DNA sequence: TTAGGGTTAG
């Protein structure tokens, strides 16, 4: 006897065709197939004696049918299990249909076991009703057992099984069953095609779906059936063949809301959200009324595009049609608001939802991350745990929030939670864990996670590669890339962004050119704006400013602000005011309200001693309202993330923080550290003002030093780039206090240790 | 005399 299946049991291999009709190969009774938690509860002895003393009507089968027709499931089940004789086939069928309609798992399985025990289910109608119910309840395995035992099967039985296996994601098995059906000489009907096509889209050999199914449907005269065409569209959608989907759609004589929705969601899922909205507009023009699923699909397209105006109209429409109580619509709506940078509106929708599922919570957590409100993401994550069980998508979003704030302890807790749930290798979770460890400055943990990840993909390699680059291990990054290629992993655009970045940080010009050319010549990857920006950065940082400028002018695509910004940064490092001003002209044309680029130009003037121009630039910033410093740093202490703003005096421990900074200043003076570069033109020594400049990273570092154990590293995350003065001071602090200080800023990761930084001071001319 | 097609989050 095979072991009783459990919920996680793999799909049983299909028996050889011949065994279907061989009594010797029949599986044990259905009751024995049920997993322990699925076994029906027997009636207690008290209930049995009560049943024995109950007077039944003359026709229990009629009574059972009547109870089912009135929806009285509990009483019907009781009657079934109390009667001495099994009811007739009609009564069983009525009970199975009621269980199917109610999605009543346990009563359904009990009724199945009852029929099975009494060998009363051999009729075709009864078997079919059983199959239909089991498939609808998601009990494909049990459906298979019933199907295998049925002495007679019709096209309905086969359709239910083929469709059921497809729904359960067992696509190969579904297609196998379809072929067996054909071999068995069963003639497919109009229902067969949608059942099979569901699985054709998910298997590599899609030609079977297109050629065999389509041809057969045409031959049988089903090609005009709306459900068949919709299934065909869906098959092409899942194969990413939107052209063919469009052809089927345009040739349809009649289309219903499902046809339109399949096209809308198809375009959205295949990366054409704009086309999805075009189809939606066309649907309106054709006066086809959208239903809840259409609206959810169109909202998903709006979310992709950040298209608020159409999204708001869909919101109004959903309200007018009374769809707001549908969780799918509400979820799609809050996602749309979050992605359109209206997170407060998303919160409003979320709070109005009478019921929230794992998608609602995960969307909110990811939405907060998308809107740079990572603390709220973590707050929602903690609250969710009391309400809904998180899944891999939730954990990925929460890990992103930890990564963004450098919340290592929080990230580790989530890692432990993931392992406890046994989903550590599910979906993108392994890569999200690598990313979290990388961004929290823990390359060692990231590496361990990378090595433990059994199914590495290009994203795993890229994430780890980016980790080496961020930590200043340029040589390791290049050898890691070689290892990646040797293992057969094909690099993509992201890989080359990381590699060129490594070259730029390490001043490896020749390697950079070689990699840049290899993109097109070896890997057929067309360089994008990010790659060009990296190359400009590489050339500019090493002082090849004219080459960088010429390189920009020869670009086959129009340079963006990042490309010109890289040149501006190079000009700042090498104090080339004229070329810097030219780069700044382009940058500020493209990004006129970006405070960061204005600051970069100010720094260029300050470093070059052009105080008149600096004053004018600062005035321009004031006039534009860009002079407000919104610098913010975070540090995690004992699992709690503390945030500090520039000149922040609000923290309860601010006096201790200042005392620590003052102490450091005294020790700097005593140890003769006086050669810090200052922005002040007259003073070239470290002054008290330098120490108390109010920059958020210093406050966060001081707070971390106070509140963590001696000898342990302090890890800080900052939303802007670390200024030259802070960089110099932090190097000194790491030396004085003999602690590792890790600062991840908006540009790179700095690991300060014994008075030096892993960035090699590149970028701090 | 039952059944098939479009569904939100990374």
């Amino acid at each position: 006897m095979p072991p009783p299946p459990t919920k996680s049991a793999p799909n049983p291999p299909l028996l050889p065709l011949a065994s279907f009709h061989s009594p010797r190969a029949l599986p044990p009774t259905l009751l024995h197939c049920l997993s322990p938690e699925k076994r029906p509860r027997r009636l207690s002895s008290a209930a049995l004696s009560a049943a024995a003393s109950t007077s039944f009507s003359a026709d229990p089968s009629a009574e059972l049918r009547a109870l089912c027709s009135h929806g009285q499931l509990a009483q019907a089940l009781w009657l079934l299990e109390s009667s001495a004789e099994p009811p007739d086939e009609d009564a069983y069928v009525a009970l199975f249909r009621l269980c199917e309609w109610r999605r009543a798992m346990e009563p359904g399985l009990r009724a199945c076991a009852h029929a099975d025990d009494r060998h009363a289910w051999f009729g075709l109608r009864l078997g079919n009703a059983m199959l239909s119910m089991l498939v609808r309840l998601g009990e494909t395995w049990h459906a298979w057992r019933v199907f295998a035992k049925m002495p007679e099967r019709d096209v309905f039985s086969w359709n239910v099984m083929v469709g059921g296996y497809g729904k359960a994601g067992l696509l190969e098995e579904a297609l196998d069953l379809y072929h067996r059906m054909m071999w068995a000489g069963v003639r497919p009907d109009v229902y067969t095609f949608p059942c099979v096509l569901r699985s054709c889209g998910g298997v590599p050999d899609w030609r079977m779906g297109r050629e065999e199914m389509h041809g057969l449907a045409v031959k049988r005269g089903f090609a005009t059936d709306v459900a068949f065409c919709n299934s065909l569209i869906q098959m092409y959608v899942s194969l990413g063949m939107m052209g063919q989907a469009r052809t089927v759609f345009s040739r349809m004589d009649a289309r219903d809301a499902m046809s339109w929705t399949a096209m809308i969601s198809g375009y959205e899922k295949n990366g054409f959200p704009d086309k999805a909205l075009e189809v939606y507009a066309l649907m309106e023009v054709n006066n086809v009324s959208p239903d809840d699923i259409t609206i959810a699909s169109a909202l998903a397209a709006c979310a992709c595009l950040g298209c608020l105006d159409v999204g708001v109209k869909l919101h109004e429409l959903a309200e007018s049609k009374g769809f707001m109580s549908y969780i799918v619509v509400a979820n799609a709506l809050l996602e749309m608001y979050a992605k359109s940078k209206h997170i407060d509106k998303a919160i409003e929708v979320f709070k109005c939802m009478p019921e929230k599922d794992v998608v609602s919570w995960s969307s909110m957590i990811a939405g907060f991350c998308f809107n740079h409100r990572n603390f709220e993401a973590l707050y929602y994550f903690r609250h969710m745990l009391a309400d809904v069980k998180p899944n891999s998508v939730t954990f990925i979003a929460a890990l992103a929030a930890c990564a963004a704030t450098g919340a290592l302890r929080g990230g580790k807790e989530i890692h432990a939670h993931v392992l406890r749930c046994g989903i550590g290798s599910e979906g993108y979770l392994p890569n999200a864990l690598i990313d979290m460890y990388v961004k929290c400055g823990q390359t060692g943990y990231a590496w361990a996670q990378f090595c433990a990840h059994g199914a590495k993909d290009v994203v795993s390699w890229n994430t780890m590669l980016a980790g080496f680059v961020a930590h200043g291990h340029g040589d390791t990054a290049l050898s890691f890339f070689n290892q990646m290629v040797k293992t057969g992993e094909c690099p993509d655009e992201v890989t080359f962004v990381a590699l060129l970045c490594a070259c730029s940080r390490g001043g490896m010009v020749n390697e950079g050119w070689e990699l840049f050319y290899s993109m097109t010549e070896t890997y057929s990857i067309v360089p994008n704006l990010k790659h060009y920006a990296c190359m400009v950065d590489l050339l500019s940082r090493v002082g090849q400013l004219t080459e960088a400028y010429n390189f920009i002018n020869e670009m086959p695509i129009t340079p963006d602000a990042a490309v010109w910004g890289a040149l501006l940064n190079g000009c700042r490092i090498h104090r080339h005011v004229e070329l810097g001003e030219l780069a700044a002209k382009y940058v500020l044309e493209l990004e006129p309200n970006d405070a960061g680029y204005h600051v970069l130009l100010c720094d260029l003037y300050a470093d070059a001693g052009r105080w008149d121009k600096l004053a004018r630039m600062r005035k321009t910033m004031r006039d534009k309202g860009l002079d407000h410093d919104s610098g913010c740093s975070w540090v995690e202490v004992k699992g709690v993330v503390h945030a500090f703003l520039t000149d922040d005096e609000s923290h309860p421990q601010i006096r201790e923080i200042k005392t620590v900074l003052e102490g450091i200043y005294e020790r700097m003076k005593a140890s003769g550290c006086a050669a810090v570069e200052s922005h002040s033109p007259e003073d070239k020594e470290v002054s008290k003002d330098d120490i108390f400049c109010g920059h958020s990273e210093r406050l966060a570092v001081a707070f971390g030093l106070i509140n963590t154990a001696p000898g342990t590293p302090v890890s800080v995350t900052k939303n802007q780039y670390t200024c030259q003065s802070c960089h110099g001071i932090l190097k000194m602090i790491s030396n004085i206090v003999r602690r590792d200080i890790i600062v991840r800023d908006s540009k790179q990761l700095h690991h300060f240790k014994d008075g030096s930084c892993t960035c090699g001071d590149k970028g701090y001319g």
Side-chain angles (χ1 to χ4, degrees):
Chain A
M1 183 188 295
T6 61
K7 209 169 183 184
S8 59
N11 179 52
L14 289 174
L15 298 173
L17 190 64
S19 70
F20 275 11
H21 302 288
S22 158
R24 283 184 194 161
L26 286 184
T29 65
L30 186 71
L31 183 62
H32 292 116
C33 295
L34 298 183
S35 53
E37 71 271 18
K38 295 282 168 57
R39 279 173 191 265
R41 284 199 300 272
R42 293 293 178 170
L43 287 175
S44 66
S45 53
L48 283 171
S49 37
S53 60
T54 307
S55 61
F56 291 111
S57 65
D59 187 354
S61 295
E63 195 177 344
L64 188 57
R65 285 198 302 274
L67 286 169
C68 289
S69 68
H70 288 92
Q72 294 180 311
L73 180 56
Q75 291 91 329
L77 196 64
W78 185 85
L79 179 61
L80 176 78
E81 291 179 339
S82 310
S83 300
E85 289 299 310
D88 63 20
E89 191 173 42
D90 282 350
Y92 269 128
V93 168
L95 186 55
F96 290 139
R97 293 218 180 107
L98 180 59
C99 292
E100 181 179 341
W101 180 62
R102 290 272 185 84
R103 304 281 197 274
M105 175 77 81
E106 199 202 323
L109 291 173
R110 278 165 65 172
C112 277
H114 189 275
D116 190 52
D117 279 352
R118 283 154 185 78
H119 303 285
W121 56 280
F122 292 111
L124 182 62
R125 281 186 56 236
L126 192 138
N128 279 348
M130 238 188 206
L131 280 187
S132 177
M133 180 196 71
L134 290 168
V135 161
R136 187 65 62 93
L137 295 174
E139 291 290 326
T140 321
W141 201 91
H142 290 136
W144 164 253
R145 291 303 216 184
V146 171
F147 182 75
K149 275 178 94 172
M150 285 170 73
E152 190 189 349
R153 306 180 190 97
D154 63 4
V155 66
F156 176 89
S157 332
W158 285 98
N159 286 349
V160 168
M161 287 310 291
V162 172
Y165 270 80
K167 270 184 201 155
L170 303 163
L171 311 183
E172 302 276 3
E173 288 83 350
L175 296 179
D176 183 13
L177 268 170
Y178 166 71
H179 282 127
R180 288 171 185 227
M181 170 184 169
M182 299 303 278
W183 293 332
V186 179
R187 190 183 166 87
D189 65 3
V190 69
Y191 292 102
T192 309
F193 295 93
C195 292
V196 185
L197 286 171
R198 166 190 278 278
S199 300
C200 292
V203 293
D205 188 10
W206 51 267
R207 278 172 302 179
M208 180 225 164
R210 193 166 69 168
E211 291 164 15
E212 186 180 328
M213 296 304 297
H214 202 169
L216 196 58
V218 171
K219 207 166 137 191
R220 294 279 156 88
F222 301 141
T224 53
D225 181 68
V226 179
F228 168 74
C229 293
N230 291 349
S231 311
L232 209 54
I233 290 174
Q234 190 55 29
M235 183 193 73
Y236 286 126
V237 161
S238 47
L239 290 164
M241 300 164 77
M242 285 311 295
Q244 278 85 342
R246 175 115 216 167
T247 306
V248 175
F249 180 77
S250 59
R251 288 181 184 166
M252 284 171 80
D253 297 328
R255 304 176 191 100
D256 61 9
M258 284 194 192
S259 329
W260 290 92
T261 309
M263 289 303 293
I264 293 167
S265 72
Y267 275 127
E268 188 267 318
K269 285 198 167 67
N270 283 292
F272 307 104
D274 47 344
K275 289 209 165 180
L277 291 187
E278 276 174 27
V279 174
Y280 178 76
L282 206 59
M283 181 181 181
E284 279 185 328
V285 171
N286 280 268
N287 286 323
V288 182
S289 180
D291 62 14
D292 52 331
I293 300 173
T294 317
I295 291 178
S297 305
L299 280 168
C302 294
C304 268
L305 295 163
C307 182
L308 187 67
D309 50 346
V310 181
V312 168
K313 280 184 187 149
L314 287 163
H315 187 175
E316 288 164 0
L317 185 64
E319 275 185 336
S320 70
K321 284 181 170 275
F323 291 160
M324 289 302 290
S325 57
Y326 294 138
I327 203 159
V328 173
V329 174
N331 285 346
L333 197 56
L334 65 87
E335 173 73 8
M336 182 278 294
Y337 280 123
K339 288 273 173 68
S340 308
K341 300 191 175 169
H342 281 66
I343 186 73
D344 292 321
K345 194 75 188 157
I347 297 170
E348 212 177 278
V349 173
F350 181 78
K351 285 188 174 164
C352 288
M353 288 171 75
E355 267 186 75
K356 299 159 182 91
D357 63 5
V358 65
V359 178
S360 330
W361 285 100
S362 305
S363 300
M364 285 308 294
I365 295 165
F368 280 121
C369 293
F370 187 80
N371 287 276
H372 309 292
R373 284 165 62 166
N374 296 294
F375 295 111
E376 281 152 291
L378 292 173
Y379 178 82
Y380 266 60
F381 175 66
R382 286 193 197 101
H383 273 70
M384 172 194 184
L385 297 176
D387 187 20
V388 173
K389 191 180 170 203
N391 64 15
S392 64
V393 179
T394 327
F395 287 126
I396 289 164
L399 284 168
C402 293
T405 50
L408 176 64
R409 185 161 152 181
K412 279 182 167 177
E413 279 172 16
I414 293 172
H415 192 172
H417 204 137
V418 162
L419 294 175
R420 277 197 299 276
C421 293
I423 56 169
S425 56
E426 203 174 276
Y428 305 143
L429 246 179
N431 292 341
L433 284 164
I434 300 172
D435 187 54
M436 182 274 293
Y437 283 124
V438 158
K439 291 202 171 127
C440 288
Q442 301 293 321
T443 332
Y445 286 130
W447 178 248
Q449 175 62 28
F450 176 82
C451 295
H453 182 13
K456 296 178 192 65
D457 59 8
V458 68
V459 179
S460 327
W461 287 91
N462 287 349
T463 310
M464 200 58 237
L465 186 68
F468 289 130
V469 176
H471 287 260
H473 306 311
D475 292 334
T476 312
L478 292 187
S479 57
F480 186 71
F481 169 68
N482 290 331
Q483 193 188 334
M484 173 183 180
V485 174
K486 267 187 205 157
T487 57
E489 188 62 62
C490 191
D492 66 4
E493 294 177 351
V494 181
T495 317
F496 282 95
V497 173
L499 287 171
L500 294 176
C501 194
C503 295
S504 168
R505 300 272 162 81
M508 298 182 276
V509 181
N510 292 337
E511 291 86 344
W513 277 120
E514 209 172 293
L515 285 164
F516 184 76
Y517 287 126
S518 78
M519 284 178 71
T520 38
E521 287 165 9
T522 313
Y523 300 102
S524 308
I525 299 170
V526 180
N528 63 31
L529 282 167
K530 283 189 178 168
H531 302 115
Y532 283 106
C534 285
M535 286 306 291
V536 173
D537 192 48
L538 166 63
L539 297 172
S540 305
R541 277 174 188 255
V542 296
Q544 297 184 14
L545 297 172
T546 314
E547 289 84 345
Y549 179 66
N550 292 338
F551 179 79
I552 295 175
N553 285 327
E554 287 165 13
M555 275 172 62
I557 46 176
T558 312
D560 65 354
V563 174
W564 287 112
L567 180 62
L568 172 59
N569 189 40
C571 294
R572 176 188 65 83
I573 296 167
H574 298 285
R575 296 175 188 177
H576 195 312
V577 176
E578 286 69 31
L579 190 55
E581 283 180 326
L582 181 65
K585 178 178 153 294
Y586 289 111
V587 169
L588 299 181
E589 267 173 22
L590 293 161
E591 294 284 351
N593 295 314
D594 186 295
Y597 289 129
H598 285 80
V599 171
L600 210 50
L601 185 56
C602 284
D603 287 353
L604 165 63
Y605 288 141
D607 291 346
R610 305 292 283 267
W611 310 112
D612 51 334
K613 294 199 171 201
L614 175 62
R616 275 206 296 278
M617 200 57 212
R618 290 223 167 119
K619 183 178 179 307
T620 308
M621 287 179 73
R622 271 196 302 279
D623 294 345
K624 286 186 176 181
L626 300 175
D627 55 336
H628 176 70
D629 186 348
S630 56
C632 183
S633 296
W634 303 275
V635 59
E636 187 192 51
V637 168
K638 297 180 185 106
V640 177
V641 180
H642 297 255
F644 294 87
L645 299 170
T646 308
D647 294 322
D648 196 348
E649 299 271 329
S650 65
H651 197 277
Q653 280 184 276
I654 190 67
R655 289 182 66 180
E656 289 170 77
I657 291 168
K658 286 192 169 181
T659 307
V660 165
L661 288 172
E662 198 155 341
I664 288 169
Y665 171 63
E666 293 301 330
R667 286 166 74 177
M668 274 182 186
K669 272 206 308 190
S671 63
C673 296
V676 174
E677 287 192 39
S678 163
H679 279 188
S680 162
E682 300 85 18
D683 184 8
K684 287 286 173 189
E685 293 196 339
V686 180
S687 70
K688 232 175 177 171
D689 285 347
D690 280 326
I691 287 291
F692 295 115
C693 71
H695 283 180
S696 59
E697 59 267 56
R698 295 191 201 185
L699 300 172
V701 165
F703 178 79
L705 290 172
I706 297 167
N707 292 287
T708 51
T712 57
V714 171
S715 188
V716 167
T717 305
K718 197 192 174 188
N719 68 337
Q720 296 173 343
Y721 82 95
T722 310
C723 74
Q724 186 156 346
S725 166
C726 283
H727 194 262
I729 293 285
L730 290 172
K731 280 201 292 185
M732 285 187 188
I733 294 178
S734 74
N735 198 28
I736 287 170
V737 300
R738 292 281 154 194
R739 301 273 293 266
D740 284 22
I741 298 169
I742 300 155
V743 177
R744 202 188 87 218
D745 68 19
S746 60
K747 281 193 191 295
Q748 59 187 313
L749 192 139
H750 305 272
H751 192 140
F752 301 98
K753 189 181 173 70
D754 302 330
S756 61
C757 178
T758 49
C759 81
D761 301 343
K762 304 232 167 41
Y764 297 98

